[in-house]
Amino acid sequence: MENILEYLKAERSQEWRTEIRKSMKAKDRMAKVRTEMPEEDPNIRNTSNIEVNSGLTAEQAVLEAQRCIDCPSPTCITGCPVGINIPKFIKKIETEDFLGAAEVLKDTNGLPAVCGRVCPQEKQCEAQCFYTIKMDKPPVAIGYLERFAADFERDSGQMAIPDTDEFNNIKLAVIGSGPAGLAAAGDLAKFGYDVTVFEALHEIGGVLKYGIPEFRLPNEVVDVEIESLRKMGVKFRTNFIVGKTASFEDLKEEGYQAFFVGSGAGLPRFMNIPGENFNGIFSSNEYLTRVNLMNAANPDFDTPVISGNLVAVIGGGNTAMDSVRTAKRLGAERSMIIYRRSEEEMPARVEEVKHAKEEGIEFMNLHNPLEYFADEKGRVNKMKVQKMELGAPDASGRRRPIPIEGSEFMIDVDTVVVSVGVSPNPLIPASLPNLKVTDWGTIVVDKETMQSSIPELFAGGDIVRGGATVILAMGDGRKAAAGMHQYIMEKIKAN
Amino acid sequence: MSKILEKEFFSENVVKLVLDAPEIARSRKPGHFVIIKIDKRGERIPLTIASSDPEKGTLTLVVQKVGVTSAKLAAMQVGDEIMDVVGPLGKATHIEKVGTVLCAGGGVGVAPLLPIVEGFKKAGNRVITVLAARNKDLVILEEQMREFSDEVIVMTDDGSSGKKGLVTAGMEEVIQREKVDLSVVIGPAIMMKFAALTTKKYNIETYASLNTIMVDGTGMCGACRVSVGGKTKFVCVDGPEFNAHQVDFDQMMSRLGAYKDQEIEAYEKYLQTVEIDG
Ligand SMILES: Cc1cc2nc3c(=O)[nH]c(=O)nc-3n(C[C@H](O)[C@H](O)[C@H](O)COP(=O)(O)OP(=O)(O)OC[C@H]3O[C@@H](n4cnc5c(N)ncnc54)[C@H](O)[C@@H]3O)c2cc1C
Ligand SMILES: Cc1cc2nc3c(=O)[nH]c(=O)nc-3n(C[C@H](O)[C@H](O)[C@H](O)COP(=O)(O)OP(=O)(O)OC[C@H]3O[C@@H](n4cnc5c(N)ncnc54)[C@H](O)[C@@H]3O)c2cc1C
Ligand code: FES
């Protein structure tokens, strides 16, 4: 910790930083208002896949960067799960060294264009911004700025391919190509390893591809990152399920010396209420996979999807917001969120809730489904819901929803998307009986090295945390890469 | 990418394909299936691995034309490549020596049944196989089944081959004649439903292999869910074989029809393009 503070201080007292800081009075910086993100018109975007946020212009970005007063002890960094040097990248933007800003981001975050779009900044860096905690003013738009710098770099065509150490011919396997796996692969390639990423699906990217929709995270943004990994020598094997297509033993025989498991929390939960298996009722994973991964809404593709008229989405997380907004885009007359707590407890990013409202999504908060009914063909046509009220906080710290007796009523629906959480993917633990897992099915690892109970196996992301976030998954992947590097180096020394 | 190495029509609508897929061929056990996606715009469909050759690194699939993807697959030629093949998926059949095993296959269920018949025979069981089809031309894999069965009974709806009658009649005949220790039934849901009712009458442990609609095949989406013994199960990871006496076949049939309108529309559209091209 001491070291980090020392380092930040040294960085802050560099000449260019001091100069730019002094170029404007703090009072003038604080007098500026937070830049608004340019957005597509809600009534146009809710009928297309166009990205909702169009990104700041260079001018807007510099103006916003000027708001940052470059605090002596920057609290924002403490809110960032991977400890990005936030003031440094923002000041680079202020000096209009946008590529330099991207470089600072990439020191700690392998996927800034992704994180700038999907991180819950209002709960992380921006929650700890000086403006939020001391001034009760809107925080510096750190997320917008992160996205701006990363997009600028990508559009400039001058994306730096990170330097890699001399190729060492040591084979390492990364299992799963979500943010955890991609981040691990990137760092391992930098250390000079021969890295292969194994992915069960036919596309690389994990949730970034099959889950988060195009209107929030265009595939192109993810593909550029994957391309950059390829250029660093990372190999990808799609349609390959480790534990099924080949076992860990098989891979060891092929020469793989250590493994990173980033297999995610891809298992959908259902509520186990009557009627949940009627046609027209999907898990959000199925609904989003059909639309995002299989392109089901495009008539030129073979996969079908039911595009309902009266769509109810159960849940209040990002996945629920993505599903309900997708339903609207597929032409639903009514797309409703049915959530058992109130808006305050919603786990979704604040921006997604705001966007959903603008797009005409109905919110039925404090309601919970009890049962589904179907027509003679087995297609859902009604659901019974119950009103809820909030009681004392539960284990999650959020106020517990309590059913109000006698408040049940029926809603007409023709499509329901169940989005009440996911469980860890059991494929890997099932194929490794010696692997230590929790009662929840998550893999137990050392917090520093991400090493599991099997020495050559490391893990991170949702398979360790349950459903978490992109940035945490990415951070885990990088920690694990360092842990694996240390493990291999020690093994070599010992021999 | 998997290359098609061999292709043979068993009947007008049933085709055998041999694919190059060395890793899957090495890991595969009877009861496993693969998911294939023909090209960039294709859908993912599940197909049982009828047999495999680990040395040559090949898989044999038997495909019945029922809609767009199966028809496109049947129209592919030797040398063509299937873009995505993933597997082996599902739980392998639990094969052990139990005594006498009665296997019943209907329609396209005959192909997935073949490796199971083979497995039980090789484990030292007496295996009696009932094959059911609408007519003589639709009876497939009879020869291959004979190789691994002590007896094969063919049933056709019109009596054009073997005996006239439904699969259940063939099964009853065997059950009344001799002691059956285990039964495995694979075919259209309606057939499995009645086959299960038949063996239930005689209290014979019975497994059915379910062919629900799937997307990923790895437990990620829940498209394949069915109710077994009152609990929701995912066929792709918990199955595809389940205790047939506990499966809610009516629910399964209804779920199989979820996309019927879209499927029919897509198939008609596809047939038109084939006519124009051809
Ligand atoms: C719809 C949706 C919206 C979300 N929105 C946000 C958001 O706005 N902000 C945010 O921070 N987080 C969001 N999240 C959560 C975030 O996406 C996840 O926390 C993150 O993707 C976890 O990364 P991961 O690498 O651990 O796993 P995943 O992204 O789940 O990737 C795991 C990959 O491993 C593959 N795999 C599994 N088993 C095997 C195997 N045996 N062999 C080979 N491959 C295997 C899977 O197919 C998958 O591709 C969202 C999640 C969803 C579903
Ligand atoms: C584990 C498993 C193993 C299978 N093994 C084989 C196999 O070895 N050979 C084979 O030919 N088929 C097999 N099937 C069925 C096969 O997956 C479907 O026939 C195929 O998905 C149909 O795709 P389509 O685009 O051609 O037809 P679609 O357009 O999707 O459907 C056309 C018609 O077929 C019906 N149908 C759709 N899916 C199924 C299904 N899963 N089962 C039965 N009828 C269906 C529809 O109701 C519709 O009437 C298996 C299914 C599963 C789940
Ligand atoms: S096919 Fe998706 S969970 Fe079984």
Side-chain angles (χ1 to χ4, degrees):
Chain A
M1 200 59 203
E2 274 299 286
N3 289 343
I4 298 173
L5 293 180
E6 286 301 313
Y7 158 79
L8 288 176
K9 222 164 135 192
E11 285 277 335
R12 186 174 180 270
S13 47
Q14 282 189 359
E15 210 180 306
W16 71 270
R17 272 281 277 282
T18 317
E19 204 172 291
I20 192 80
R21 190 163 54 244
K22 290 194 172 145
S23 69
M24 194 182 290
K25 286 205 188 89
K27 209 178 84 205
D28 295 336
R29 293 183 185 277
M30 287 189 274
K32 293 178 186 288
V33 281
R34 177 174 157 126
T35 311
E36 300 255 337
M37 171 60 83
E39 292 169 359
E40 289 298 328
D41 183 313
N43 291 319
I44 293 173
R45 72 188 192 226
N46 68 10
T47 60
S48 83
N49 241 339
I50 194 161
E51 193 180 4
V52 172
N53 284 347
S54 24
L56 302 185
T57 61
E59 241 174 2
Q60 286 174 312
V62 171
L63 277 173
E64 184 63 26
Q66 288 170 349
R67 289 185 68 221
C68 169
I69 58 167
D70 199 5
C71 305
S73 45
T75 40
C76 51
I77 301 181
T78 63
C80 175
V82 298
I84 292 176
N85 190 341
I86 295 169
K88 182 173 175 189
F89 101 78
I90 293 183
K91 291 300 118 180
K92 287 269 181 192
I93 293 179
E94 191 178 337
T95 60
E96 294 185 31
D97 178 7
F98 304 138
L99 290 174
E103 207 177 306
V104 175
L105 286 165
K106 288 208 160 163
D107 277 342
T108 35
N109 181 350
L111 305 168
V114 175
C115 294
R117 287 173 165 82
V118 304
C119 263
Q121 290 93 2
E122 76 276 2
K123 293 194 190 109
Q124 301 179 354
C125 51
E126 294 184 16
Q128 302 302 329
C129 173
F130 172 78
Y131 283 86
T132 315
I133 54 179
K134 288 277 157 59
M135 311 272 297
D136 201 22
K137 276 191 178 175
V140 174
I142 303 169
Y144 297 169
L145 291 175
E146 177 179 30
R147 170 185 165 164
F148 168 78
D151 284 359
F152 182 90
E153 188 197 30
R154 193 179 64 245
D155 296 341
S156 73
Q158 296 181 52
M159 223 163 114
I161 303 301
D163 291 335
T164 52
D165 294 350
E166 200 183 323
F167 193 64
N168 63 19
N169 262 317
I170 298 174
K171 278 167 89 170
L172 300 181
V174 170
I175 299 158
S177 66
L182 294 179
D187 275 16
L188 291 171
K190 278 189 217 160
F191 294 136
Y193 292 100
D194 179 0
V195 185
T196 306
V197 179
F198 296 93
E199 169 53 54
L201 292 172
H202 59 267
E203 278 267 1
I204 307 291
V207 170
L208 306 182
K209 278 281 177 65
Y210 77 72
I212 305 180
E214 193 72 8
F215 59 82
R216 207 148 71 77
L217 177 64
N219 280 343
E220 193 221 328
V221 173
V222 185
D223 285 334
V224 167
E225 302 297 341
I226 294 165
E227 208 34 55
S228 141
L229 290 174
R230 278 189 216 276
K231 286 188 187 140
M232 289 163 69
V234 175
K235 290 171 226 161
F236 290 94
R237 291 272 333 251
T238 50
N239 298 315
F240 197 113
I241 308 175
V242 176
K244 288 264 176 198
T245 311
S247 65
F248 280 90
E249 287 309 315
D250 295 334
L251 292 179
K252 275 189 209 163
E253 261 168 48
E254 281 177 39
Y256 290 95
Q257 307 223 2
F259 302 87
F260 173 74
V261 178
S263 54
L267 253 63
R269 275 194 220 133
F270 286 93
M271 293 174 67
N272 296 315
I273 57 175
E276 214 173 14
N277 290 346
F278 284 132
N279 290 332
I281 305 182
F282 305 89
S283 73
S284 50
N285 269 6
E286 181 181 353
Y287 194 65
L288 293 171
T289 298
R290 281 182 183 272
V291 177
N292 297 335
L293 184 70
M294 305 308 299
N295 252 306
N298 181 333
D300 293 341
F301 285 69
D302 292 342
T303 303
V305 67
I306 290 176
S307 34
N309 237 342
L310 306 170
V311 185
V313 174
I314 319 301
N318 285 319
T319 316
M321 294 308 142
D322 285 344
S323 301
V324 80
R325 295 168 71 195
T326 296
K328 190 87 204 172
R329 283 161 174 76
L330 295 185
E333 215 170 277
R334 268 189 99 175
S335 321
M336 311 165 252
I337 282 283
I338 301 197
Y339 179 53
R340 63 195 179 122
R341 306 187 209 236
S342 71
E343 187 171 327
E344 208 174 301
E345 288 82 20
M346 276 192 177
R349 300 177 74 227
V350 167
E351 190 180 33
E352 308 313 328
V353 178
K354 166 182 169 273
H355 285 162
K357 285 185 182 159
E358 290 166 0
E359 287 165 13
I361 306 299
E362 293 170 50
F363 282 77
M364 292 184 63
N365 297 335
L366 292 166
H367 283 82
N368 203 33
L370 293 177
E371 184 172 359
Y372 300 102
F373 303 88
D375 62 17
E376 68 287 351
K377 283 176 161 170
R379 170 85 185 256
V380 67
N381 64 359
K382 277 186 176 42
M383 66 189 286
K384 191 201 265 174
V385 299
Q386 182 171 39
K387 289 190 182 160
M388 312 290 277
E389 60 190 356
L390 291 179
D394 65 8
S396 74
R398 292 176 300 176
R399 296 181 62 191
R400 186 194 304 275
I402 302 168
I404 302 175
E405 293 305 327
S407 65
E408 299 85 356
F409 65 101
M410 300 286 252
I411 310 176
D412 287 339
V413 291
D414 58 22
T415 305
V416 175
V417 181
V418 182
S419 187
V420 294
V422 285
S423 309
N425 193 320
L427 275 169
I428 300 281
S431 69
L432 290 170
N434 291 330
L435 184 66
K436 213 166 134 194
V437 293
T438 63
D439 291 347
W440 299 99
T442 51
I443 298 177
V444 177
V445 293
D446 177 283
K447 281 206 178 71
E448 293 309 313
T449 62
M450 308 310 278
Q451 191 171 29
S452 74
S453 59
I454 298 174
E456 67 274 21
L457 196 142
F458 296 69
D462 282 2
I463 188 66
V464 164
R465 299 170 177 273
T469 59
V470 170
I471 188 84
L472 286 170
M474 203 216 64
D476 284 356
R478 299 201 64 188
K479 257 201 231 166
M484 287 166 86
H485 185 43
Q486 192 188 346
Y487 166 80
I488 296 283
M489 288 300 123
E490 277 167 16
K491 214 167 106 176
I492 291 172
K493 238 195 259 160
N495 285 331
Chain B
M1 285 282 192
S2 268
K3 194 178 252 173
I4 299 178
L5 303 175
E6 287 173 43
K7 178 183 175 185
E8 183 190 335
F9 275 98
F10 284 148
S11 74
E12 196 197 328
N13 286 319
V14 180
V15 63
K16 175 183 107 171
L17 297 173
V18 178
L19 305 186
D20 179 39
E23 271 137 349
I24 304 175
R26 225 182 301 138
S27 306
R28 167 270 172 182
K29 296 196 176 64
H32 279 148
F33 63 96
V34 286
I35 289 221
I36 68 118
K37 180 168 149 289
I38 294 178
D39 54 27
K40 213 169 154 261
R41 291 162 183 245
E43 65 179 335
R44 295 168 65 103
I45 70 160
L47 296 165
T48 305
I49 306 171
S51 65
S52 65
D53 185 333
E55 257 96 76
K56 286 194 202 145
T58 59
L59 300 179
T60 303
L61 309 179
V62 178
V63 188
Q64 177 174 342
K65 278 203 273 185
V66 294
V68 174
T69 305
S70 48
K72 281 186 183 168
L73 204 52
M76 290 178 82
Q77 302 300 330
V78 171
D80 287 351
E81 289 197 323
I82 299 177
M83 191 167 192
D84 300 288
V85 179
V86 64
L89 299 167
K91 287 194 172 137
T93 308
H94 183 67
I95 287 174
E96 58 179 346
K97 187 162 185 231
V98 291
T100 300
V101 184
L102 174 60
C103 296
V108 80
V110 176
L113 193 61
L114 181 64
I116 294 170
V117 166
E118 181 181 345
F120 275 109
K121 186 67 213 170
K122 286 185 173 161
N125 294 283
R126 173 173 160 77
V127 180
I128 304 166
T129 305
V130 181
L131 297 181
R134 256 179 309 178
N135 61 50
K136 184 165 172 278
D137 294 335
L138 300 176
V139 178
I140 56 160
L141 297 176
E142 188 181 337
E143 238 169 84
Q144 289 89 332
M145 287 291 184
R146 283 193 193 282
E147 192 183 328
F148 299 110
S149 308
D150 293 273
E151 185 186 347
V152 173
I153 300 170
V154 174
M155 305 292 304
T156 48
D157 291 4
D158 62 356
S160 53
S161 175
K163 293 180 185 156
K164 184 168 170 179
L166 298 173
V167 72
T168 42
M171 292 173 74
E172 292 241 35
E173 181 192 316
V174 178
I175 295 168
Q176 281 172 1
R177 183 182 74 193
E178 62 183 290
K179 180 170 174 289
V180 172
D181 298 287
L182 181 75
S183 180
V184 181
V185 299
I186 312 185
I190 186 85
M191 171 221 143
M192 292 194 276
K193 175 180 170 175
F194 284 103
L197 287 172
T198 304
T199 59
K200 186 149 193 213
K201 259 193 329 207
Y202 300 96
N203 242 327
I204 300 167
E205 189 181 354
T206 302
Y207 286 90
S209 179
L210 307 185
N211 52 4
T212 49
I213 292 174
M214 294 189 176
V215 182
D216 60 298
T218 65
M220 192 188 91
C221 73
C224 62
R225 65 197 193 275
V226 288
S227 180
V228 181
K231 290 212 174 76
T232 294
K233 298 276 179 191
F234 288 9
V235 173
C236 67
V237 283
D238 301 324
E241 282 161 34
F242 294 95
N243 181 337
H245 298 153
Q246 296 194 348
V247 173
D248 183 343
F249 284 108
D250 293 330
Q251 182 191 79
M252 177 180 155
M253 274 182 261
S254 160
R255 289 186 59 80
L256 270 173
Y259 296 94
K260 200 149 209 138
D261 297 346
Q262 282 125 307
E263 284 160 358
I264 293 171
E265 193 185 319
Y267 197 36
E268 278 168 1
K269 210 170 106 189
Y270 168 75
L271 289 178
Q272 274 173 11
T273 61
V274 180
E275 270 163 30
I276 295 163
D277 292 350

